Amino acid sequence: MRILVTGGLGYIGAHTVVALIEQNFNVVVVDDLSNTSLSALDGIEKITGVKPDFYEVDLRNQSDVNSFFESQAQIDGVIHFAASKAVGESVTNPFLYYHNNIGGILNLLAGLQKFPNAKFIFSSSCTVYGQADELPITESAPIKPAMSPYGNTKQIGEEILSDMAKADQIQAIALRYFNPIGAHESAEIGELPLGVPQNLVPFITQTAAGLRSQLSVFGADYPTPDGTCIRDYIYVVDLAEAHVVALQRLLSGKNQSNLEIFNLGTGKGSSVLEVINAFEAISGKKLPYQIVARREGDVTAAYADTQHANEVLGWKAKNDLTHAIATAWKWEQKIRGI
């Protein structure tokens, strides 16, 4: 089976490529290298012994997308990661997010008309729920008006797939994941954002490594036990393996409808301060941080009800917060030569 992974050199994409290769899939990677580098391709090869086919393609460019598909003789499935993904940035630069995230999926689906039977895994997000009325969040929770352009692009992406599924034009699974963290245990691949990190854990590790003077905690006046936001932090390798399980579900015809939706998380919420404390315990380092104003687009708390993924998808997160943070710090130490 030949599987296309868009954004396959990005953080979650690279880990998923590894998981696919380990399950003997033939993988082809498309990435525009806007938030990663070719070093991820080397890392994949070091872990697996396989260097997947790679094409540098910007999904916003329909002619380039079409040229890519014309060069392919076989595509059995697609895992679509390629998207801009920072809540805060999307608030300040909404056009980038609509152009990249919506334009990209539309151009991808247009190119896929050459392979109408290809199964489709969509990288969605718990942001589609907004601030949920009840916790933990189930897949049947209402979709609230998006609190950020990023969240809105994920809602729109799911709506596009839903309409195509109703028209029998696609078989897809949307994976709504919570907060991926950590790195491969080999420390050959991990999260390496270009520029200032938009996510908590890489900002923590970069601060500990001396790249950042201090960490900003966005708000300590939320209605939570310690006043900081609560999220469900899931180890990236567990998350990657869920994509393979979902793809195998579609390829084997076990899906119960043309579009299925699963939450991917641990089922446990951790606050920002709890994550900081966990890092300090693991690393032995005292982390400098300051409390600053709330960040627009952030919800108070979000963590998953994992029953549907556990029982129907047949997947469960195996690793806890401590393990994930330890791998993130090991990765940071390696790339910084600490």
Side-chain angles (χ1 to χ4, degrees), residues 21-320:
I21 292 172
E22 289 175 342
Q23 292 296 316
N24 298 314
F25 284 100
N26 178 11
V27 181
V28 55
V29 172
V30 158
D31 203 299
D32 68 358
L33 303 178
S34 62
N35 197 34
T36 188
S37 71
L38 285 173
S39 63
L41 196 61
D42 296 330
I44 291 167
E45 184 177 16
K46 287 177 182 176
I47 295 167
T48 65
V50 175
K51 191 169 189 175
D53 293 342
F54 170 70
Y55 296 80
E56 185 175 349
V57 178
D58 186 338
L59 294 185
R60 291 173 294 186
N61 188 317
Q62 183 69 73
S63 63
D64 288 353
V65 173
N66 290 343
S67 296
F68 163 75
F69 279 107
E70 288 166 5
S71 72
Q72 301 299 303
Q74 177 187 355
I75 298 289
D76 298 294
V78 178
I79 303 181
H80 178 45
F81 292 107
S84 303
K85 63 180 180 63
V87 169
E89 183 186 45
S90 78
V91 173
T92 58
N93 192 358
F95 178 78
L96 168 66
Y97 278 69
Y98 288 111
H99 190 205
N100 196 28
N101 297 8
I102 304 306
I105 191 173
L106 289 173
N107 289 342
L108 175 63
L109 290 168
L112 265 178
Q113 291 179 19
K114 181 182 176 183
F115 304 103
N117 295 320
K119 312 306 181 187
F120 198 93
I121 305 294
F122 179 55
S123 168
S124 192
S125 168
C126 65
T127 57
V128 301
Y129 299 114
Q131 181 56 67
D133 296 326
E134 297 181 6
L135 295 171
I137 302 171
T138 68
E139 288 82 355
S140 60
I143 303 300
K144 297 287 192 68
M147 296 183 69
S148 68
Y150 165 72
N152 199 29
T153 65
K154 293 301 182 183
Q155 290 182 0
I156 294 169
E158 287 193 11
E159 289 168 359
I160 291 167
L161 294 176
S162 177
D163 288 339
M164 291 183 66
K166 289 173 185 173
D168 286 327
Q169 293 179 339
I170 202 165
Q171 290 191 39
I173 290 177
L175 298 175
R176 293 173 178 165
Y177 32 87
F178 284 65
N179 291 66
I181 61 170
H184 195 272
E185 291 180 2
S186 67
E188 294 293 349
I189 55 174
E191 188 168 11
L192 186 59
L194 302 183
V196 179
Q198 299 288 327
N199 297 326
L200 176 61
V201 171
F203 211 114
I204 285 175
T205 58
Q206 287 192 13
T207 302
L211 273 73
R212 311 289 164 190
S213 59
Q214 64 180 3
L215 173 72
S216 294
V217 176
F218 295 102
D221 59 348
Y222 285 95
T224 63
D226 63 20
T228 63
C229 291
I230 291 174
R231 297 290 183 268
D232 188 337
Y233 295 96
I234 176 174
Y235 181 43
V236 67
V237 175
D238 287 340
L239 184 65
E241 291 172 355
H243 289 76
V244 180
V245 172
L247 179 65
Q248 290 169 329
R249 178 176 174 83
L250 289 176
L251 291 170
S252 62
K254 293 180 180 177
N255 50 308
Q256 298 168 0
S257 62
N258 286 345
L259 176 63
E260 294 184 322
I261 293 170
F262 296 95
N263 285 342
L264 298 181
T266 66
K268 182 182 187 306
S270 300
S271 73
V272 174
L273 291 182
E274 285 174 333
V275 175
I276 291 172
N277 292 337
F279 176 81
E280 290 180 340
I282 289 162
S283 66
K285 286 180 167 286
K286 191 67 179 172
L287 200 69
Y289 68 87
Q290 65 171 346
I291 307 297
V292 299
R294 292 186 182 190
R295 182 173 56 184
E296 189 175 353
D298 279 342
V299 300
T300 300
Y303 52 94
D305 184 313
T306 62
Q307 182 178 357
H308 190 53
N310 298 164
E311 296 180 358
V312 178
L313 186 59
W315 167 89
K316 184 171 185 172
K318 302 171 187 172
N319 296 276
D320 62 10

